[in-house]
Structure formats: C-alpha cells, structure tokens
Amino acid sequence: MQDKSVATTANKYPSKPITFIVPFGIGGGTDLVARLMEKSAPAYLGQSLVIINKPGASGTLGWNELSGAKPDGYTIGIAGTELLLQPLYGPSKYHYPTALEPLAQIVSLSMVMAVKKDQPWQNIDDLIAYAREHPGEIKYGHTGVGGLGHVAGEAFAKIANIHLEQVPFQSGAEATASLLGGHVQVIFINPASTKEYIKSDMLKALAVSGEQRLTDPVYTTVPTFKEQGFDVVYDNWYTIAAPKGLQPEVKGKLVDGLKAMINNPEFKKNIEQLGLEISYLGPKELQKKWLDDSEQLTKAVQETGILDKIKDQKK
C-alpha cells in the first residue's frame, strides 16, 4: 500500500517551480527548445521551469545531475541522442537509458553540415577536393566528443577518405560562432543553431544527415548526404526525461502536461520557426525508441570503426 503522506504529496504536485536541466550551453538547440518550454510551463505544468545550463563532457555532466536527482518530479531535463552514445565510449557514472525515465519526445531532427557563405565550396564534392589538396587544413566543429555531430563528421570523413580535424564545443551557439569567426571551416550541428545565419546569407548548408530532407523552407533545397552518394544517415531527437522512480501520480501529471504543451499549435509554430519539426512520442513509445536507437547506433559506430577512433580521441 502506498504511504499516505507520499500520496498526499503526489496529489499536491507541483507546489513549487521545477528545475529543468539543459546539458549544453546557452543558445544551442536544446537551450532554445528549453526556453520555449519555459514560456509554456505555467499553463501546462502548473509551475514555472527554472532552467539550469550544465554543459560539459558532451552532455554527461548534466545527465549525471539529472540521474542522481531525487525522483520527486521537481527535477527534469532535456536529452538528445548523445544520451545513448556516451555509455558506448567507456564507463560513465550512470547508464542513462536505464537511469532515466522518458516522459516525452518533442522533436526529431537531422544534423546540418554548414560552411561560411563566402567559402568557394558549393557542394560536398568541392569540399572533398579541397581537403585532398590541402590535407590538415579543414577543422570541423561539433557539440561534444562522441556526440552525434562528431559521429556524423567522422563518418563523412571516413567515407570521403579525407582527414578533418575535429574541434568540440559546449553548445551549437559556440560552434557556430567559431565557424563565423573562421576558427573552424565546417560544422555538424542542429538546424536551429544555423537557420538564422543561413537566412541572412552568412552560412550555407551543404548536406543534412537524415533519411529525408528537412521540411523547413530554409532547408528544403539542401540535399541529404545519401542523395549525394554518402551513407551518412543519423537522426537526432530532443526528449524530456526524469530520474527513475517517479510516483505514478507525478509522472502522469508531467506526461499529460508535456503532451498538451508539445501538441499545442502555438508551441508547434514556435518550434518550426527554429527550423525543427514536432515529433511527439509518449513514454512507452519513447522507451522503445531509446532501445531501438541504442542498438542501431551501437552497430553503426562499431561496424564503421568510428567507435574505436572516438575512444582514442577522448583519451
């Protein structure tokens, strides 16, 4: 039988603001989505969100804090595919797919390969030709060693048979600023971080990593890697998770509130303005997706040899 005091506490949930952990820096894709959720939270969750950016170690610092938090519903956070990738590279404090409880998927997204607009490269073949003629000159930025941008960059370099020097950053905003400043020549990053710069003709996208092209008008003309003959297919997603062990009543309130928020037309419109696409999944579907994607990603990084290369780069 459930303890009466616990049941009473769950019934009164939420009675104070909810801490929301973003495991990457301010201004990146996960942070931008979190800021949109912050605006909608009082109406759908009954309390405000207090966003805590906890960047570092490709998201693991934030997810460690989230995994170790008290499972009372007052600490939740945002997660991407890196949640599944990081345990592949070596021991981590938690096995995140089992230490965390999935609540909702918000969006699915491709990675974007972008360069500065004034670069002479009009397509991937131009960039490959330059890299072969100028070995060691091209650096690419991403949002953390072992993250999906890193995996996509290494997969592309391997298939193209070129060398690209990887440079990790703590957020998409930092990687994009470095590209604009000429410190790296390419970035593999989420579309929300590049959209406004592409619209203002400061950047151009050469490829996206999904099976299909993105539907946002800014990206519809950008071909996939696969269309250009490169088997680089990696999809990311942003999901909301909580520490394992939530009371059923608390979990139910969070799940219902997040579902209503994510499917609200105004929230959807704001997400699309970032260059992202709503792809809602509930807890059961999301748990299955985590398991399926974990299996697929493990197989992909092992078979291509990327796993061993990234393990060496993390040393």
Side-chain angles (χ1 to χ4, degrees), residues 271-285:
I271 285 287
E272 289 173 348
Q273 286 176 344
L274 292 178
L276 304 176
E277 298 169 26
I278 290 288
S279 178
Y280 173 79
L281 291 178
K284 287 184 180 176
E285 300 95 334

Side-chain angles (χ1 to χ4, degrees), residues 228-239:
Q228 299 178 79
F230 298 88
D231 189 20
V232 179
V233 182
Y234 296 100
D235 284 318
N236 199 355
W237 32 253
Y238 293 161
T239 65

Side-chain angles (χ1 to χ4, degrees), residues 84-90 146 151 154-155 158 234 293-311:
L84 309 178
L85 286 166
Q86 291 304 324
L88 301 179
Y89 306 129
V151 170
E154 292 300 330
K158 183 179 177 68
Y234 296 100
D293 284 4
S294 181
E295 186 177 336
Q296 290 172 6
L297 281 168
T298 301
K299 186 178 178 184
V301 296
Q302 284 177 338
E303 289 183 348
T304 56
I306 295 171
L307 181 60
D308 290 335
K309 186 169 185 179
I310 291 177
K311 280 182 176 178

Side-chain angles (χ1 to χ4, degrees), residues 63-86:
W63 292 321
N64 285 345
E65 186 158 322
L66 180 60
S67 300
K70 189 176 179 181
D72 57 5
Y74 289 103
T75 305
I76 60 176
I78 192 166
T81 315
E82 288 80 3
L83 186 86
L84 309 178
L85 286 166
Q86 291 304 324

